Amino acid sequence: MEDRKSKIWITQCLLLLSIGCFVPRLSASDDVKFYESFDEKFEGRWIVSQREEFQGTWKHSKSEGHDDYGLLVGDKAKKHAIVKVLDEPVDLKDGTTVLQYEVRLQNGLECGGAYIKYLRPQDAGWIAKEFDNESPYTIMFGPDKCGATNKVHFILKHKNPKTGNYIEHHLKFPPSVPSDKLTHVYTAILKPDNELRILVDGEEKKKANFLSEDDFEPPLIPAKTIPDPDDKKPEDWDERAKIPDPDATKPDDWDEDAPMEIEDEEAEKPEGWLDDEPEEVDDPDSTKPEDWDDEEDGEWEAPKIDNPRCAEAPGCGEWTRPKKRNPAYKGKWQAPLIENPNYKGIWKAQLIGNPEYFELERPNFEPIAAIGIEIWTMQDGILFDNILIASDEKTAESYRETAWKPKFEVEKENQKEEESVDSDGLKGVQKIVFDYLYKVADLPVLGEHKVKVLDLLEKAEKQANLTIGVLISIVVIFFTLLLKLIFGGKKKPAKLSAETKKTDVAETSKSSEEKEEKDEDAAAPPRRRNTRRDN
């Protein structure tokens, strides 16, 4: 008898234990309204839009570096559209609703979207095989990036009960999109107290209130009053606070034509100014190249250098008086402003009651009957995974911990290793660069600069923080020497006529036309420095 009681007791314990294990699972499954892991192929369950504009292909593909499958955007620079009709619509009006999914931008995202549309029931006027951007949705959520746009969208399409129109309400100041190529999980939590929370990788990035005019544009609840559209500003309404004094007259001594600047009559030419010396002279060390052909290349002229005599004097050439501000300058006369006796203020239309105004305690969310991805993107390789709709935050958190986080940690480690390899590769490239620079430093052309270059190279190799600055210094030295070798002086010669050369060199480069010719010659290679003369 006791054995029988013992068996019954054990059986009851096992039954209770089984029920205890089963209830949490049942509760968790009740929290999950929809879940798509893409472990199996999507064909037959998801419907690809047959609209002509959607030429992009969808693929059942593994995430790079994982055995985990996802839904892959297969083509770049094309429109993609696919939809999954839920077995039962999800009601958002009662309790908490969590929208969550993962997306990995395996090739980055320069211009395109990676968001999801949570669609209304099909009786709103759409069919799955013709899903497009006009298909009515309740919520649009997820990354969007192109040009100045860089945000995690949250858009609620809400019906105005007075007009029956559906209005898009955009979340103000949404979080930005992570710029790496790792898998990220995006979560939107809709609370019964009208609170909205946006999480990226489980971290709260934005908190808002659906009924706050500070959080959505336009606000869900319209303004109580609006300007009367039929109210017009009277023709005699004067909005000018100040007006020119009608009684004011221009003073007799007001000279509107007086220049802003005049010559400084008190200025004197500095002692030692060389009036007859030109600023530039022919380079005495320059000789006509042996291969110069006068018929082909024109008459050869020596390149110009700064006149060494000018460096020892206050200046060269024709001296002119400097300018100074004209004390008589007053500019255009204008009558002073006075208070406008007819000023009535800035006109505003009278306010009237807004016929579209309504009161609301909680948004009138439309149910979610389907999940659609309708995007255009310049990049392929966008991978969607683990799309979840749940009624409990803890459930969404558990999916992040088990489905997303392990992948993310592996990808972060791989990214660190790749960055380390890239760094080592860069060091290898630096070694090759330095080897070549040491060889260049042995060239005879460096002359007296050789010791300086070698010293800079040694500093650049030993002190990594100085490498870039030192290398730039070396490049500047090489470039300076190269210019000196090519042009033989500081400046290129200007094109001068034979008569001008015979008279006075100091008057050669004063006209704007000759200056332009000098600039043109400076851009030419040494052999073509002097072009064929026209006369």
PDB file of all heavy atoms in Angstrom, residues 490-501:
ATOM      1  N   LYS A 490      64.047  81.079 -59.598  1.00  0.00           N
ATOM      2  CA  LYS A 490      62.825  81.186 -58.810  1.00  0.00           C
ATOM      3  C   LYS A 490      61.602  81.426 -59.661  1.00  0.00           C
ATOM      4  O   LYS A 490      60.516  81.005 -59.337  1.00  0.00           O
ATOM      5  CB  LYS A 490      62.958  82.309 -57.780  1.00  0.00           C
ATOM      6  CG  LYS A 490      64.023  82.023 -56.733  1.00  0.00           C
ATOM      7  CD  LYS A 490      64.083  83.142 -55.743  1.00  0.00           C
ATOM      8  CE  LYS A 490      65.147  82.886 -54.680  1.00  0.00           C
ATOM      9  NZ  LYS A 490      65.262  83.987 -53.737  1.00  0.00           N
ATOM     10  N   LYS A 491      61.756  82.155 -60.781  1.00  0.00           N
ATOM     11  CA  LYS A 491      60.590  82.493 -61.581  1.00  0.00           C
ATOM     12  C   LYS A 491      60.907  82.296 -63.047  1.00  0.00           C
ATOM     13  O   LYS A 491      62.054  82.376 -63.483  1.00  0.00           O
ATOM     14  CB  LYS A 491      60.154  83.950 -61.349  1.00  0.00           C
ATOM     15  CG  LYS A 491      59.651  84.211 -59.936  1.00  0.00           C
ATOM     16  CD  LYS A 491      59.142  85.605 -59.823  1.00  0.00           C
ATOM     17  CE  LYS A 491      58.616  85.864 -58.419  1.00  0.00           C
ATOM     18  NZ  LYS A 491      58.112  87.227 -58.269  1.00  0.00           N
ATOM     19  N   LYS A 492      59.879  82.097 -63.872  1.00  0.00           N
ATOM     20  CA  LYS A 492      60.020  81.939 -65.305  1.00  0.00           C
ATOM     21  C   LYS A 492      60.109  83.320 -65.948  1.00  0.00           C
ATOM     22  O   LYS A 492      59.589  84.292 -65.430  1.00  0.00           O
ATOM     23  CB  LYS A 492      58.814  81.198 -65.862  1.00  0.00           C
ATOM     24  CG  LYS A 492      58.562  79.879 -65.215  1.00  0.00           C
ATOM     25  CD  LYS A 492      59.487  78.862 -65.789  1.00  0.00           C
ATOM     26  CE  LYS A 492      59.204  77.515 -65.181  1.00  0.00           C
ATOM     27  NZ  LYS A 492      57.980  76.954 -65.672  1.00  0.00           N
ATOM     28  N   PRO A 493      60.718  83.397 -67.087  1.00  0.00           N
ATOM     29  CA  PRO A 493      60.851  84.698 -67.749  1.00  0.00           C
ATOM     30  C   PRO A 493      59.544  85.152 -68.369  1.00  0.00           C
ATOM     31  O   PRO A 493      58.737  84.353 -68.781  1.00  0.00           O
ATOM     32  CB  PRO A 493      61.890  84.426 -68.834  1.00  0.00           C
ATOM     33  CG  PRO A 493      61.710  82.974 -69.137  1.00  0.00           C
ATOM     34  CD  PRO A 493      61.358  82.330 -67.835  1.00  0.00           C
ATOM     35  N   ALA A 494      59.398  86.448 -68.446  1.00  0.00           N
ATOM     36  CA  ALA A 494      58.269  87.001 -69.183  1.00  0.00           C
ATOM     37  C   ALA A 494      58.677  87.173 -70.634  1.00  0.00           C
ATOM     38  O   ALA A 494      59.854  87.305 -70.959  1.00  0.00           O
ATOM     39  CB  ALA A 494      57.858  88.351 -68.590  1.00  0.00           C
ATOM     40  N   LYS A 495      57.713  87.182 -71.514  1.00  0.00           N
ATOM     41  CA  LYS A 495      57.981  87.338 -72.938  1.00  0.00           C
ATOM     42  C   LYS A 495      58.218  88.823 -73.213  1.00  0.00           C
ATOM     43  O   LYS A 495      57.364  89.641 -72.952  1.00  0.00           O
ATOM     44  CB  LYS A 495      56.769  86.841 -73.713  1.00  0.00           C
ATOM     45  CG  LYS A 495      57.126  86.243 -75.035  1.00  0.00           C
ATOM     46  CD  LYS A 495      55.852  86.078 -75.801  1.00  0.00           C
ATOM     47  CE  LYS A 495      55.674  84.681 -76.182  1.00  0.00           C
ATOM     48  NZ  LYS A 495      54.518  84.480 -77.022  1.00  0.00           N
ATOM     49  N   LEU A 496      59.378  89.177 -73.711  1.00  0.00           N
ATOM     50  CA  LEU A 496      59.726  90.581 -73.929  1.00  0.00           C
ATOM     51  C   LEU A 496      60.024  90.824 -75.401  1.00  0.00           C
ATOM     52  O   LEU A 496      60.590  89.961 -76.079  1.00  0.00           O
ATOM     53  CB  LEU A 496      60.941  90.981 -73.095  1.00  0.00           C
ATOM     54  CG  LEU A 496      60.810  90.783 -71.577  1.00  0.00           C
ATOM     55  CD1 LEU A 496      62.122  91.113 -70.915  1.00  0.00           C
ATOM     56  CD2 LEU A 496      59.714  91.648 -71.032  1.00  0.00           C
ATOM     57  N   SER A 497      59.718  91.982 -75.870  1.00  0.00           N
ATOM     58  CA  SER A 497      60.063  92.336 -77.242  1.00  0.00           C
ATOM     59  C   SER A 497      61.507  92.777 -77.318  1.00  0.00           C
ATOM     60  O   SER A 497      62.107  93.202 -76.329  1.00  0.00           O
ATOM     61  CB  SER A 497      59.136  93.450 -77.729  1.00  0.00           C
ATOM     62  OG  SER A 497      59.400  94.633 -77.011  1.00  0.00           O
ATOM     63  N   ALA A 498      62.077  92.707 -78.485  1.00  0.00           N
ATOM     64  CA  ALA A 498      63.490  93.073 -78.651  1.00  0.00           C
ATOM     65  C   ALA A 498      63.695  94.548 -78.352  1.00  0.00           C
ATOM     66  O   ALA A 498      64.692  94.944 -77.750  1.00  0.00           O
ATOM     67  CB  ALA A 498      63.934  92.755 -80.082  1.00  0.00           C
ATOM     68  N   GLU A 499      62.741  95.397 -78.760  1.00  0.00           N
ATOM     69  CA  GLU A 499      62.887  96.824 -78.524  1.00  0.00           C
ATOM     70  C   GLU A 499      62.873  97.146 -77.044  1.00  0.00           C
ATOM     71  O   GLU A 499      63.619  97.986 -76.569  1.00  0.00           O
ATOM     72  CB  GLU A 499      61.755  97.574 -79.222  1.00  0.00           C
ATOM     73  CG  GLU A 499      61.837  97.480 -80.757  1.00  0.00           C
ATOM     74  CD  GLU A 499      60.718  98.239 -81.411  1.00  0.00           C
ATOM     75  OE1 GLU A 499      59.914  98.830 -80.668  1.00  0.00           O
ATOM     76  OE2 GLU A 499      60.663  98.259 -82.650  1.00  0.00           O
ATOM     77  N   THR A 500      62.001  96.462 -76.328  1.00  0.00           N
ATOM     78  CA  THR A 500      61.910  96.719 -74.885  1.00  0.00           C
ATOM     79  C   THR A 500      63.221  96.382 -74.210  1.00  0.00           C
ATOM     80  O   THR A 500      63.656  97.070 -73.292  1.00  0.00           O
ATOM     81  CB  THR A 500      60.779  95.903 -74.280  1.00  0.00           C
ATOM     82  OG1 THR A 500      59.588  96.174 -74.991  1.00  0.00           O
ATOM     83  CG2 THR A 500      60.569  96.238 -72.824  1.00  0.00           C
ATOM     84  N   LYS A 501      63.853  95.272 -74.655  1.00  0.00           N
ATOM     85  CA  LYS A 501      65.109  94.866 -74.034  1.00  0.00           C
ATOM     86  C   LYS A 501      66.187  95.918 -74.241  1.00  0.00           C
ATOM     87  O   LYS A 501      67.057  96.094 -73.411  1.00  0.00           O
ATOM     88  CB  LYS A 501      65.569  93.553 -74.652  1.00  0.00           C
ATOM     89  CG  LYS A 501      64.762  92.374 -74.196  1.00  0.00           C
ATOM     90  CD  LYS A 501      65.479  91.178 -74.382  1.00  0.00           C
ATOM     91  CE  LYS A 501      65.346  90.080 -75.094  1.00  0.00           C
ATOM     92  NZ  LYS A 501      66.021  89.049 -75.458  1.00  0.00           N
TER      93      LYS A 501
END
